[in-house]
């Protein structure tokens, strides 16, 4: 595996379900990000982890809970979501320092029914 | 509040044409600006990154410029091809690790 991978690629869940999105980066980076992309809106940053510590939480509802157990893995735990949470969820990573160029995964298409 | 605007929202051109995509930003303390390509339903592919100390970056048929004083960046695509059809996003990074994105320009190159 190379780059940034995300699983699952597609997820359909009911409002009472609990599920998790997984992101893994194989680039040796030490910062990881979750973004939400909704139709007709710019990408919205949700969370930033740097050296496994959350450094930014962009006013995200508590029904989204991130976890970063190590610098290569990032999870987004989901519970009691709303239909308006349906979106493409993108994970990215970057090195700290230097250019900070961000590399993105393919995304998880989430549909909440 | 940092904002990034991309104009036009959509662009359709015949194959072989040279074209320019525009991006404007409000952050005067920009650290760098990154251009991405996104194919339908897919993630983002980084195309070019320009540091605030640079004026332009080139990769193949792509050239990106940065003018901090006017708050503008352009992405120039030479000799466009149908495979260039995608949505192009620009994103600006200020002093934090946060990227602020525009809504993108959807490009269609017609054979």
């Amino acid at each position: 595996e190379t780059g940034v991978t995300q699983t699952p690629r597609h997820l359909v869940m009911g409002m009472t379900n609990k599920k998790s999105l997984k992101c893994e980066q194989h680039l040796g980076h030490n910062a990881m990000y979750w973004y939400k992309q909704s139709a007709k809106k710019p990408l919205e940053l949700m969370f930033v982890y740097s050296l496994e510590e959350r450094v930014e939480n962009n006013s995200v509802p508590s029904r989204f809970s991130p976890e970063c157990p190590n610098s290569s893995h990032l999870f987004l735990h989901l519970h009691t979501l709303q239909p308006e949470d349906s979106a493409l969820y993108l994970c990215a990573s970057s090195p700290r320092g230097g250019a900070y160029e961000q590399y993105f995964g393919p995304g998880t298409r989430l549909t909440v029914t | 509040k940092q904002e990034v605007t991309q104009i036009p929202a959509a662009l359709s051109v015949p194959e072989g044409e040279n074209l320019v995509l525009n991006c404007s930003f409000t952050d005067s303390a920009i650290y760098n600006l990154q251009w991405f390509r996104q194919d339908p339903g897919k993630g983002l592919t980084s195309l070019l990154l320009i540091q605030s100390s640079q004026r332009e970056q080139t990769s193949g048929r792509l050239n990106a410029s940065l003018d901090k004083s006017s708050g503008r960046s352009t992405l120039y695509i030479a000799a466009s091809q149908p495979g260039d059809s995608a949505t192009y996003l620009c994103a600006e990074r200020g002093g934090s690790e946060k990227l602020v994105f525009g809504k993108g320009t959807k490009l269609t190159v017609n054979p």
Side-chain angles (χ1 to χ4, degrees):
Chain A
E1 293 275 19
T2 58
V4 181
T5 58
Q6 290 186 243
T7 55
R9 296 294 309 278
H10 301 272
L11 178 63
V12 179
M13 59 186 288
M15 289 192 284
T16 58
N17 291 159
K18 288 185 181 181
K19 297 284 184 183
S20 295
L21 310 185
K22 179 183 175 182
C23 174
E24 186 172 358
Q25 60 94 3
H26 310 269
L27 299 168
H29 292 164
N30 42 31
M32 296 187 78
Y33 312 77
W34 279 117
Y35 289 87
K36 176 182 178 182
Q37 187 176 34
S38 306
K40 300 183 181 178
K41 284 188 177 181
L43 262 82
E44 301 171 73
L45 178 67
M46 299 175 73
F47 301 104
V48 180
Y49 275 82
S50 182
L51 298 172
E52 299 145 46
E53 181 180 333
R54 192 189 312 179
V55 298
E56 187 144 357
N57 175 347
N58 231 24
S59 303
V60 179
S62 60
R63 57 186 185 269
F64 294 92
S65 174
E67 179 190 0
C68 188
N70 56 61
S71 60
S72 298
H73 294 85
L74 184 65
F75 294 90
L76 189 62
H77 303 300
L78 316 170
H79 64 98
T80 55
L81 294 191
Q82 304 297 312
E84 60 265 28
D85 297 322
S86 299
L88 182 67
Y89 289 84
L90 293 162
C91 172
S93 71
S94 73
R96 286 203 87 239
Y100 286 92
E101 186 171 0
Q102 291 192 18
Y103 294 81
F104 281 75
T108 294
R109 172 67 63 186
L110 173 67
T111 304
V112 181
T113 60
Chain B
K1 180 185 173 185
Q2 296 167 260
E3 287 189 5
V4 175
T5 304
Q6 291 187 249
I7 296 173
L11 180 64
S12 181
V13 300
E15 181 176 3
E17 192 162 297
N18 301 326
L19 59 101
V20 174
L21 306 180
N22 297 295
C23 173
S24 61
F25 50 90
T26 57
D27 187 1
S28 59
I30 181 173
Y31 185 85
N32 61 36
L33 187 137
Q34 199 166 350
W35 281 93
F36 296 88
R37 168 190 172 133
Q38 185 175 30
D39 293 287
K42 302 285 180 65
L44 277 64
T45 300
S46 179
L47 297 174
L48 290 163
L49 180 142
I50 313 177
Q51 300 291 0
S52 60
S53 58
Q54 298 173 318
R55 297 292 294 270
E56 63 179 61
Q57 281 284 343
T58 298
S59 175
R61 293 183 293 109
L62 306 179
N63 176 278
S65 68
L66 177 65
D67 184 342
K68 283 195 306 179
S69 61
S70 65
R72 293 176 188 272
S73 176
T74 61
L75 179 67
Y76 174 83
I77 302 177
S80 58
Q81 303 170 358
D84 295 329
S85 298
T87 296
Y88 290 80
L89 298 161
C90 71
E92 174 264 329
R93 180 171 169 266
S96 72
E97 302 191 53
K98 177 179 177 177
L99 275 180
V100 178
F101 281 83
K103 291 185 179 181
T105 294
K106 183 176 181 180
L107 173 66
T108 303
V109 181
N110 301 300

